[in-house]
Amino acid sequence: MTITLNGERFELDSPKSVAALLAQLDIDPRRVAVEHNLNIIKRPTFSDVLIGEGDTVEIVNFVGGG
Amino acid sequence: MTDTPFVIAGRTFTSRLIVGTGKYPSHAMMAQAHAASGAEMVTVAVRRVNISDRSKESLLDYIDDRIFILPNTAGCYTADDAIRTARLGREAGLSHWVKLEVIGDERTLFPDNEALIDATRVLVKEGFIVLPYTNDDPIACRKLEDAGASAVMPLGAPIGSGLGIQNANNIRIIREFSKVPVIVDAGVGTASDAALAMELGADGVLMNTAIAGAEHPVQMAEAMKHAVIAGRLAFLSGRIPRKMYATASSPLEGVIGT
């Protein structure tokens, strides 16, 4: 199945939770914010929200800025 | 005379200097510059995580725990994108403060005030503490305040330009009009620019490139710390009126040979 992850096509073998996706990507969940189909996903619910075919996911963090 | 504390939305800051985290030669130098500046609040940007390259070290590891982090919405050209970015920043940082930017033009990075006011209204309703980056326009600042902004942050000059305060009288008028803190944001090039902003009555100054882009950022950070303190003291001290001609400082009587 294909999702759009940070603006790019991304293949997933099966639907998975936000927490599982972050683990697969080796991203520390404490350092990022996640938007799923334009909804902000609260950190405590990362394990509950499932990402499926065609979904759009944004994973952001803080970088240097003014 | 003692100064009134610098309070934004009920939070008190000792330093009136707010600095950025962008464009430093290294994270380590940024941390040193932050320490030298004495700043208690720093801005950060919200960006997509690099999925393919996870090796990059985290910016947050180099920001002192005592420093308050203010996420920005830099790079957003619509109210919707700025609102989305603000919400993501809140989630990433667990703080409900945002430096709100809605840019209207790529070349000047001047704000789109109409979209900025709309986004301010939406975010304030959602419980955000909104610090909008705005034009040096007293009317726009008043509208932002009416929309619920917790401070107004007029530009001194275009972002990263280092041109200094282009419209000093507008900054002074904005201070006179505003009930919320006025923070001059953008355009500072060197210490005297920061001092001038404070002399005009600004409650604080926000800068990034002036420090990060200097040849010696840590030294410039220290210069900015002193400039902000000096400018504030001068403002509180009540400067002398400007006169067209000289007034002698030494007594006119008792000059020899008269």
Side-chain angles (χ1 to χ4, degrees):
Chain A
M1 53 174 265
T2 306
I3 63 167
T4 304
L5 175 59
N6 284 1
E8 313 243 333
R9 285 167 56 93
F10 191 83
E11 295 299 328
L12 285 183
D13 33 12
S14 61
K16 55 175 64 181
S17 70
V18 170
L21 176 64
L22 292 175
Q24 179 189 326
L25 296 170
D26 193 25
I27 293 172
D28 183 345
R30 292 168 302 179
R31 287 288 172 87
V32 295
V34 180
E35 192 192 68
H36 175 233
N37 296 340
L38 298 181
N39 295 312
I40 301 282
I41 308 303
K42 299 278 177 199
R43 203 164 287 146
T45 66
F46 277 0
S47 303
D48 308 328
V49 176
L50 272 187
I51 299 164
E53 172 68 30
D55 285 359
T56 300
V57 177
E58 296 280 352
I59 305 173
V60 302
N61 63 357
F62 289 143
V63 300
Chain B
M1 111 180 239
T2 52
D3 197 355
T4 48
F6 180 34
V7 182
I8 308 169
R11 192 182 179 105
T12 303
F13 298 91
T14 307
S15 170
R16 292 174 179 273
L17 175 59
I18 303 163
V19 299
T21 56
K23 301 204 279 193
Y24 283 92
S26 69
H27 282 342
M29 185 172 283
M30 176 193 77
Q32 283 179 51
H34 285 172
S37 74
E40 294 163 319
M41 174 152 57
V42 300
T43 55
V44 297
V46 177
R47 288 292 179 270
R48 285 171 167 164
V49 170
N50 188 337
I51 301 295
S52 51
D53 173 19
R54 302 289 313 118
S55 61
K56 277 196 173 168
E57 50 192 0
S58 172
L59 173 78
L60 295 181
D61 293 333
Y62 290 86
I63 300 176
D64 192 303
D65 291 341
R66 291 164 295 186
I67 294 179
F68 185 75
I69 292 174
L70 179 65
N72 70 26
T73 64
C76 292
Y77 282 80
T78 65
D80 283 346
D81 282 349
I83 291 164
R84 274 176 76 193
T85 304
R87 289 172 182 155
L88 282 164
R90 170 161 71 177
E91 208 49 39
L94 301 173
S95 137
H96 56 301
W97 289 45
V98 63
K99 171 184 163 176
L100 186 64
E101 293 185 38
V102 186
I103 302 302
D105 173 62
E106 237 173 275
R107 193 152 166 234
T108 58
L109 297 179
F110 281 147
D112 177 338
N113 277 339
E114 196 181 0
L116 184 68
I117 293 162
D118 288 345
T120 298
R121 207 170 282 126
V122 170
L123 290 169
V124 166
K125 273 201 194 111
E126 292 183 17
F128 278 87
I129 300 298
V130 180
L131 282 57
Y133 159 71
T134 175
N135 282 315
D136 54 357
D137 172 0
I139 308 307
C141 288
R142 189 163 64 195
K143 288 182 177 177
L144 287 164
E145 190 177 323
D146 290 345
S150 293
V152 290
M153 306 211 292
L155 55 86
I159 293 172
S161 70
L163 286 172
I165 316 290
Q166 295 294 287
N167 203 336
N169 194 41
N170 275 27
I171 300 295
R172 192 193 59 73
I173 293 170
I174 289 166
R175 176 57 284 170
E176 194 185 319
F177 278 17
S178 300
K179 288 187 273 302
V180 294
V182 175
I183 298 161
V184 170
D185 178 4
V188 167
T190 188
S192 52
D193 300 329
L196 175 60
M198 298 308 292
E199 287 169 19
L200 292 167
D203 299 278
V205 181
L206 196 165
M207 65 181 73
N208 185 358
T209 309
I211 294 174
E215 207 169 315
H216 303 292
V218 180
Q219 209 166 292
M220 187 59 94
E222 191 180 351
M224 292 302 182
K225 174 173 88 174
H226 295 305
V228 167
I229 293 169
R232 180 66 182 175
L233 279 173
F235 170 70
L236 294 171
S237 303
R239 58 151 298 150
I240 60 165
R242 289 178 173 85
K243 284 182 262 182
M244 295 304 285
Y245 300 98
T247 311
S249 308
S250 307
L252 298 175
E253 300 80 31
V255 179
I256 60 160
T258 52

